[in-house]
Amino acid sequence: MLNFALEVGKTHTPEAVLFWFLAPLAVLSALGMLMAKKAVHSALLLAWIMISLAIFYIAEDALFLGIVQVVVYTGAVMMLFLFILMLVGVDTADSLVENIKGQRAASIAAAIGLAGLLTSLIGRANMGRSAVGLTGANANGNVQGLAEQLFTKYVWAFEVISALLITAALGAMVLAHSQRIRSRTIQRDQSIARFRGSSLAEAAGLPGSGVYARHNAVDVPALLPDGTPAPTSISAVLEARGDMIESGTFALQPKEEEEN
Amino acid sequence: MNAAQLIANDPGWVILVKGLLVFVLCVVLTLMSVWGERRLVSFMQMRVGPNRVGKFGLLQSLADGVKLALKEDLIPKAADRIVFVIAPIISATTCFMAFAVIPMTGKVSLFGHQTVMQLTDLPVGVLYVLAIASVGVYGIVLAGWSSGSTYPLLGGLRSSAQVISYEVAMGLSLVAVFIYAGSMSTSDIVAAQNHWWFAVVLFPSFVIYAISMVGETNRAPFDLAEAEGELVGGFHTEYSSLKFALFFLAEYVNIVAVSSLATTLFLGGYHALPGLGFTETWLGGWFTMVWYLLKVIFFFFIFVWLRGTLPRMRYDQFMQFGWKVLIPVSLLWIMVVSTLRIMSQRNTGRPIIMGFTVGVVLIVLAVTSLFDSAKRRRREADALGELPEPSFPVPAIPEPRVEQLNG
């Protein structure tokens, strides 16, 4: 048993230092990911786990895989995930009510089964054995070796997966697509329309609210030079909600008393 | 011995010294570039700019840094405290990491040890820079989210969408370089530009990279993440004191980083200008660093010039440009480049290569003109009616003056 342990612990010193520094951190953040109350914190811890996995890959001579892991998973996938979390605002803890009957028990059983399977497989594959064929695989360089495998032996699988991804992307586009009846009005069209409209009075844009009034809040209509309020100077939404203050209430009253 | 072997032979103390030198260079470049930008923009706007602190105002950014550090450090009540503190740290650390693979000199002797000024040489060095950049985005997104207010959130989302979209175009523009250099390692790419710079050979790639590097660093005219008219300060609205200083530092170090990458990939890195190759042996090889720095400063000047000249783009125009112009163009360009490369490797006859090139140009012209005419037809169909009679007095349209001139 002791011999076995020594055999397993036999790695080069820098790699061992790296492992004993990063592995506990990765495990802790994995636990933290499960325990964290806020979804964004969980997502961040997951991103950190991916980065530490990438560092392990690099330490194990799979340089390209490590870098691609960071670019694709941490950079793109996790970032999209964070986007959705932030936009949808899934901050509060999810409700723990079971919607499907027996789901919890089934998922716990499946998780234990998967963990057992993985443990036995990884244990049988790795424990006490040194890596075989690594130098052979990396003989022409890590990237070149990987490229050769991808484009000769696994080219079919590679193409099938890319077809799957393209189908998924197309599906998402079809689902999100809506047909436009006429082309979108852009800034240029709006500008042309202002000049070709019935009146040139608004060619330079709508008047701002509260101009000439004593109050410059957004809910007070501006006063025109003749003293009448300009209805286009406040937002139609405020007007519809009734959140509009009569600008006449702020008009200066002629001070007749002082003259007497 | 090539650069990779030289770096592999470095003892520990050389690595430490090089790390320190690269770090110091980054910080000094940042301080100088903040000052340089302010002076240059002032010059373009016919002002004087900072000229009080030190000779020519050289120490202005140092003084500003001290002032920033002494300011009160606020954390808003609604902020997520841990993430709020981590975000600037992520931004500031990742931007320095890109410099590890930038080759700054050719073969030099450092305290009697033969080496090159490049911290490490990875076979996938350029991809490493992209990976670091994609981690750097986390700083911006998290800063925006953790501030707990609307403007930073919108700014953070904007800038991360921007950085991710332009990273795609940037990554695609690098593919042609990889194909021509036959390697993804920065030192090999510089070595491959011994005779011809890739900016000349792969000009479209260079243009795409140059545009996307401005988008990637959130700089004018693509600085939509901090459009002050719309979003106050964008993602760093709520930041103050040292935390803000870290974002500030990150922005400028990032500019120097993407400029260094552009120098390395397209302008021949530390190689001298054509015809001045003899200077590369001056000062025992250290003079190559001057060439590297001059090229970086050239890119930095372009950044400042853009900022001084162009108005900010609208967000939808910017995204449309990235996805509908830059990415398709770079995909097409990659196909052309790889076909040409295969042709030249198989010794295809010159007429076939010429025919292929002309064919591609013709197809591109035909497709773009089809697009243009379809667009024009759609516009005409949608066009609004004729000019109505104006409802309020306008000055009479002046008579043509041709007769007067004749008379």
Side-chain angles (χ1 to χ4, degrees):
Chain A
M1 195 66 206
L2 191 69
N3 275 344
F4 174 70
L6 282 175
E7 197 67 32
V8 170
K10 221 192 221 171
T11 41
H12 299 294
T13 328
E15 199 183 323
V17 171
L18 185 78
F19 178 81
W20 289 113
F21 181 71
L22 275 180
L25 263 181
V27 172
L28 279 182
S29 31
L31 287 176
M33 189 198 93
L34 292 174
M35 310 286 179
K37 281 210 177 92
K38 280 189 178 173
V40 173
H41 290 175
S42 293
L44 279 183
L45 288 169
L46 185 59
W48 167 247
I49 295 168
M50 285 173 179
I51 293 177
S52 35
L53 279 182
I55 298 174
F56 284 137
Y57 293 158
I58 293 171
E60 300 289 337
D61 274 355
L63 189 57
F64 186 74
L65 184 66
I67 299 283
V68 166
Q69 154 108 350
V70 175
V71 174
V72 175
Y73 285 99
T74 321
V77 176
M78 209 53 221
M79 186 53 76
L80 275 183
F81 196 64
L82 258 184
F83 251 53
I84 295 162
L85 282 183
M86 289 171 179
L87 282 177
V88 180
V90 206
D91 269 352
T92 47
D94 289 327
S95 111
L96 293 172
V97 180
E98 223 171 340
N99 283 327
I100 306 167
K101 238 186 170 184
Q103 189 194 12
R104 198 170 295 170
S107 55
I108 288 172
I112 291 173
L114 183 68
L117 211 63
L118 283 178
T119 317
S120 81
L121 264 179
I122 294 170
R124 244 181 293 165
N126 275 356
M127 285 298 168
R129 289 182 182 81
S130 56
V132 179
L134 189 65
T135 43
N138 280 346
N140 295 326
N142 182 242
V143 183
Q144 283 83 350
L146 208 61
E148 209 181 311
Q149 292 287 313
L150 269 186
F151 289 106
T152 53
K153 196 174 172 190
Y154 296 106
V155 72
W156 178 242
F158 191 63
E159 294 295 324
V160 167
I161 288 175
S162 69
L164 178 77
L165 287 178
I166 289 175
T167 318
L170 273 180
M173 279 199 269
V174 168
L175 285 178
H177 183 70
S178 63
Q179 191 80 42
R180 264 186 206 289
I181 296 165
R182 56 179 294 169
S183 63
R184 201 160 59 110
T185 48
I186 55 173
Q187 222 167 11
R188 183 186 165 84
D189 298 328
Q190 288 171 354
S191 170
I192 292 173
R194 273 206 298 275
F195 280 91
R196 297 203 169 164
S198 57
S199 157
L200 279 179
E202 284 164 7
L206 297 172
S209 64
V211 185
Y212 296 125
R214 269 180 59 198
H215 210 304
N216 66 353
V218 284
D219 53 352
V220 185
L223 290 181
L224 293 172
D226 61 354
T228 52
T232 48
S233 70
I234 70 160
S235 158
V237 176
L238 289 178
E239 205 175 337
R241 266 198 334 218
D243 282 345
M244 195 172 95
I245 298 173
E246 200 52 51
S247 42
T249 52
F250 301 106
L252 280 170
Q253 298 297 325
K255 295 180 179 172
E256 290 163 17
E257 291 163 18
E258 279 177 26
E259 278 172 28
N260 292 336
Chain B
M1 264 206 288
N2 65 11
Q5 287 160 337
L6 279 175
I7 291 167
N9 283 340
D10 281 345
W13 65 269
V14 170
I15 297 174
L16 276 181
V17 169
K18 281 206 270 189
L20 191 71
L21 275 177
V22 169
F23 181 75
V24 169
L25 186 77
C26 283
V27 175
V28 172
L29 268 181
T30 308
L31 287 180
M32 286 301 106
S33 58
V34 174
W35 170 81
E37 174 174 34
R38 291 178 66 183
R39 288 296 291 225
L40 274 172
V41 168
S42 308
F43 173 70
M44 291 172 191
Q45 297 170 342
M46 307 185 78
R47 299 185 282 119
V48 179
N51 64 349
R52 295 285 147 162
V53 191
K55 197 81 182 150
F56 308 117
L58 270 169
L59 298 177
Q60 181 66 46
S61 8
L62 197 65
D64 284 348
V66 172
K67 183 199 74 174
L68 263 178
L70 294 176
K71 286 202 165 187
E72 187 186 355
D73 198 358
L74 294 170
I75 297 184
K77 218 172 181 178
D80 186 320
R81 290 186 74 96
I82 303 170
V83 183
F84 190 80
V85 175
I86 290 175
I89 300 176
I90 295 179
S91 259
T93 44
T94 49
C95 62
F96 279 108
M97 287 172 72
F99 282 93
V101 293
I102 303 288
M104 297 180 185
T105 64
K107 208 183 283 181
V108 292
S109 105
L110 188 70
F111 301 117
H113 182 85
Q114 282 285 315
T115 183
V116 290
M117 265 308 282
Q118 179 184 355
L119 204 51
T120 174
D121 187 58
L122 301 175
V124 290
V126 182
L127 287 189
Y128 161 83
V129 176
L130 283 185
I132 293 298
S134 65
V135 175
V137 188
Y138 274 87
I140 295 174
V141 178
L142 294 179
W145 175 78
S146 66
S147 296
S149 87
T150 316
Y151 289 135
L153 180 64
L154 290 175
L157 289 178
R158 253 191 194 192
S159 83
S160 43
Q162 175 175 339
V163 173
I164 291 172
S165 327
Y166 274 69
E167 224 171 60
V168 178
M170 187 185 251
L172 288 175
S173 75
L174 302 180
V175 173
V177 174
F178 297 158
I179 290 174
Y180 262 73
S183 167
M184 289 190 273
S185 124
T186 43
S187 63
D188 287 353
I189 290 173
V190 171
Q193 297 177 79
N194 217 345
H195 298 295
W196 284 98
W197 292 356
F198 285 146
V200 181
V201 185
L202 305 167
F203 186 69
S205 291
F206 176 56
V207 173
I208 293 165
Y209 180 86
I211 295 173
S212 53
M213 81 178 182
V214 181
E216 162 103 10
T217 44
N218 284 327
R219 287 278 299 186
F222 301 150
D223 55 343
L224 305 141
E226 33 200 301
E228 56 267 18
E230 300 157 22
L231 294 173
V232 192
F235 64 90
H236 57 62
T237 304
E238 303 288 354
Y239 280 88
S240 54
S241 187
L242 265 183
K243 295 200 196 73
F244 172 73
L246 286 182
F247 279 123
F248 199 58
L249 180 80
E251 182 182 337
Y252 282 86
V253 177
N254 255 332
I255 294 172
V256 179
V258 290
S259 305
S260 300
L261 195 63
T263 306
T264 307
L265 295 180
F266 294 104
L267 289 195
Y270 52 76
H271 284 308
L273 288 176
L276 293 172
F278 59 89
T279 55
E280 283 179 26
T281 50
W282 288 4
L283 302 174
W286 280 100
F287 199 78
T288 46
M289 193 154 192
V290 174
W291 287 115
Y292 160 79
L293 285 176
L294 277 178
K295 289 171 190 174
V296 170
I297 290 169
F298 164 74
F299 275 111
F300 182 75
F301 175 73
I302 301 285
F303 268 103
V304 177
W305 198 4
L306 285 176
R307 185 189 155 186
T309 314
L310 295 175
R312 186 176 294 132
M313 270 178 110
R314 222 172 54 202
Y315 189 68
D316 59 325
Q317 289 172 335
F318 174 72
M319 284 311 232
Q320 212 155 28
F321 179 66
W323 286 99
K324 293 189 179 170
V325 179
L326 277 188
I327 293 176
V329 166
S330 33
L331 282 174
L332 183 78
W333 173 242
I334 288 170
M335 284 172 66
V336 172
V337 163
S338 32
T339 316
L340 283 176
R341 186 75 182 159
I342 290 286
M343 280 180 174
S344 71
Q345 273 174 355
R346 301 224 169 134
N347 290 324
T348 317
R350 194 160 279 246
I352 301 181
I353 293 181
M354 290 301 274
F356 171 75
T357 319
V358 172
V360 168
V361 171
L362 283 180
I363 290 172
V364 168
L365 282 179
V367 169
T368 46
S369 72
L370 273 179
F371 259 115
D372 277 358
S373 64
K375 206 170 162 188
R376 205 178 315 124
R377 236 175 288 133
R378 207 166 52 232
R379 286 235 154 274
E380 277 164 8
D382 289 342
L384 297 143
E386 269 305 295
L387 200 64
E389 202 60 30
S391 63
F392 73 79
V394 288
I397 296 164
E399 294 286 315
R401 294 180 58 198
V402 184
E403 289 152 38
Q404 283 178 357
L405 285 171
N406 287 344

